[in-house]
Amino acid sequence: MNSAVSIESLSFLVIDDDEFMLDIVAMNLNHLKAANVATCTNGCEALARIDNGESFDVVMIDLNMPIIDGVEVLRSLAQRNFPNGILLFSGEDARILKTAQSLANEHKLNVLGALTKPVVVNDLQEALQAYRPNTTEAPQKLFEPITVDELYKAINEKQILPYFQPQVLSRDKSLVAAEVLARWQHPERGLLAPFHFIARAEELSLIDELTWSLFEQAIEQFGRWRTMGTNLSMSINLSADSLGTVNLPEKIASLVAANHIPYDAIRLEITESRLMKNLKTSLDVLARLRLKNFGLSIDDFGTGYSSLAQLNSIPFNELKVDRAFVHGAAADPAARAILESSVMLARKLDMTVVAEGVEDQSDWDQVEAIGCDLVQGYHVARPMPADQFEQWMETWNERTIA
Ligand code: C2E
Ligand code: CA
Ligand code: CA
């Protein structure tokens, strides 16, 4: 451990809905001589304290809480670019902790570890060894939540741009499509991944404006690429919130037609359990999109947000297996079983299968052997801005033709 940091000098915030558990954790921390321990019984209260300027060196989060769960707290902390230490704990099985930990890592949060309940002193002490003081003096603005004005301006000024990630056939590696992924080129905060602003745009009811701006930019780009002789299809993410707009199919159709793109070259990717809440309008919109021959893709399949029930009620024609069951599947029998059954299911329902998160050769070999149609992931290419994508396309095509 960095000898400059001792547990006594750190301030802690512990979040757990179970007060008995809070007492146990606080007791353990006291045992380790931590003097400054605050507790909260729900995530909203914890976030409010942070937003009010209280500073904590380590935030300990229980993953299962009723009001907002630990995963949401993680998301909110990432939106605030929370720079200090995070310790996760949960009574659930180790796999959930593992998933939450990789999620937090992906959000670039500073995760010290993941502990199973009941939290014991030794584990806690060991995890805290990983604590390093945050030395980056980031401007205060980075920690402030995104405001309506800020986001509204960004959308209007086209600071939010489409990046493109290729999808290739597993059969012969030929390029057939690209997924549009939002990036915010923020003048002060830098290049932001969707994680930092999509959920916030939904909260602020600006997601329709955001999606539409991105849609317009991306469709125009695809129109240009198609006139250059490529036959690319385009996948774009639709927030479940946007499915409440009854005239969405018509709006999309006229934009797509104006750019001389056939409807079946556009695939709309949908996740989220919220879909089921406003079921009537969502189903109406989705059915009409499909009737017009737009592709509908069920995203993140296999996670809590994408369920079998949705497959039964919505006319999806593409299934995207979540990367949790793709990357590392060769060495993980449980992931492989889910991947295999998803492919079987998709075959029976006459759907195309996309494997996302193919990061290395062994992932590729696995999804090819299992029979996924399309492959997307870092092993092929990362998401890129339009000009880079164009260059990439040329070299890839030369390589696959050769
Ligand atoms: P998604 O739809 O599941 O998109 C795939 C995500 O996986 C992208 O993250 C992509 O960069 C990442 N990815 C691709 N290949 C690999 C790989 O091999 N390994 C790993 N570890 N990751 C890979 P990104 O761009 O950060 O987007 C995150 C999520 O944000 C998307 O997940 C999507 O749900 C949402 N999102 C992105 N753009 C939009 C948008 O315009 N509208 C809406 N509503 N949501 C969006
Ligand atoms: Ca997607
Ligand atoms: Ca996905």
Side-chain angles (χ1 to χ4, degrees):
M1 182 168 170
N2 186 331
S3 55
V5 181
S6 61
I7 294 176
E8 293 110 272
S9 65
L10 299 180
S11 57
F12 291 85
L13 176 63
V14 190
I15 319 169
D16 193 328
D17 59 298
D18 182 342
E19 295 196 25
F20 179 64
M21 278 298 157
L22 277 180
D23 287 345
I24 293 184
V25 175
M27 222 166 63
N28 285 337
L29 285 169
N30 290 338
H31 187 85
L32 294 170
K33 302 204 168 51
N36 193 348
V37 179
T39 58
C40 268
T41 52
N42 74 71
C44 296
E45 193 189 319
L47 292 168
R49 291 181 72 159
I50 290 170
D51 287 343
N52 282 336
E54 278 187 72
S55 148
F56 301 101
D57 298 311
V58 179
V59 176
M60 297 184 56
I61 308 168
D62 174 30
L63 285 179
N64 310 84
M65 293 183 291
I67 298 180
I68 59 171
D69 65 37
V71 174
E72 280 183 84
V73 175
L74 282 178
R75 188 199 312 130
S76 306
L77 288 175
Q79 281 168 356
R80 290 160 174 77
N81 288 295
F82 183 77
N84 298 338
I86 291 175
L87 248 178
L88 303 170
F89 58 101
S90 168
E92 298 292 333
D93 73 283
R95 265 190 309 179
I96 297 184
L97 265 176
K98 196 179 101 189
T99 311
Q101 187 167 16
S102 38
L103 187 74
N105 288 337
E106 218 160 280
H107 298 328
K108 312 269 184 300
L109 288 166
N110 177 12
V111 184
L112 307 177
L115 308 174
T116 39
K117 276 186 188 176
V119 175
V120 294
V121 175
N122 284 351
D123 291 351
L124 190 56
Q125 187 170 24
E126 199 176 310
L128 289 172
Q129 309 276 306
Y131 179 86
R132 294 288 176 278
N134 165 51
T135 48
T136 51
E137 283 295 322
Q140 187 53 35
K141 177 121 178 115
L142 291 186
F143 306 107
E144 288 167 15
I146 291 160
T147 64
V148 178
D149 291 346
E150 188 181 6
L151 188 56
Y152 188 76
K153 182 162 176 264
I155 295 167
N156 282 333
E157 293 183 354
K158 298 212 165 53
Q159 292 173 17
I160 299 178
L161 304 167
Y163 269 45
F164 303 89
Q165 187 178 34
Q167 295 181 346
V168 303
L169 286 180
S170 76
R171 180 161 34 89
D172 61 5
K173 296 195 159 82
S174 56
L175 172 68
V176 288
E179 178 174 2
V180 175
L181 294 158
R183 294 289 181 274
W184 184 351
Q185 186 62 66
H186 195 291
E188 285 134 33
R189 301 179 197 244
L191 187 68
L192 300 180
F195 180 75
H196 295 283
F197 58 89
I198 294 288
R200 186 72 180 138
E202 288 171 350
E203 263 168 47
L204 298 171
S205 302
L206 279 174
I207 189 68
D208 279 351
E209 284 81 354
L210 190 157
T211 308
W212 196 247
S213 159
L214 212 61
F215 230 100
E216 282 181 332
Q217 298 179 62
I219 295 270
E220 281 165 21
Q221 187 58 68
F222 269 83
R224 282 194 290 277
W225 283 334
R226 289 181 69 95
T227 53
M228 285 164 53
T230 65
N231 216 3
L232 275 189
S233 293
M234 171 181 124
S235 286
I236 189 156
N237 297 284
L238 264 194
S239 157
D241 288 2
S242 303
L243 298 173
T245 311
V246 183
N247 68 347
L248 189 73
E250 288 69 30
K251 226 177 129 179
I252 295 180
S254 69
L255 179 65
V256 171
N259 286 279
H260 313 290
I261 302 173
Y263 294 164
D264 64 1
I266 304 292
R267 306 189 198 122
L268 307 162
E269 300 194 358
I270 292 144
T271 12
E272 306 214 21
S273 50
R274 250 177 313 150
L275 189 58
M276 304 314 258
K277 286 196 187 149
N278 190 357
L279 198 56
K280 218 163 99 193
T281 320
S282 302
L283 285 182
D284 177 296
V285 166
L286 290 168
R288 279 184 301 121
L289 283 167
R290 201 58 207 111
L291 283 170
K292 288 190 193 299
N293 229 2
F294 287 108
L296 289 185
S297 187
I298 181 164
D299 207 350
D300 302 340
F301 190 74
T303 67
Y305 291 125
S306 268
S307 70
L308 289 171
Q310 292 183 353
L311 270 190
N312 194 27
S313 54
I314 298 165
F316 288 111
N317 61 335
E318 182 180 88
L319 183 154
K320 291 189 82 171
V321 185
D322 193 74
R323 64 170 180 270
F325 313 111
V326 174
H327 176 53
D332 182 341
R336 199 167 58 238
I338 295 169
L339 179 61
E340 278 170 352
S341 348
S342 305
V343 173
M344 252 157 47
L345 188 66
R347 290 277 164 272
K348 291 218 164 115
L349 298 173
D350 210 14
M351 298 163 83
T352 308
V353 187
V354 185
E356 57 177 26
V358 172
E359 287 191 15
D360 52 36
Q361 187 64 43
S362 98
D363 294 345
W364 178 289
D365 294 342
Q366 193 65 51
V367 301
E368 190 190 15
I370 291 175
C372 297
D373 306 290
L374 289 168
V375 180
Q376 181 180 347
Y378 297 164
H379 187 57
V380 178
R382 290 183 179 252
M384 301 165 265
D387 52 344
Q388 266 179 42
F389 184 85
E390 218 166 292
Q391 286 169 11
W392 179 88
M393 225 177 342
E394 275 173 33
T395 47
W396 182 265
N397 286 340
E398 275 164 24
R399 201 180 92 186
T400 40
I401 292 164

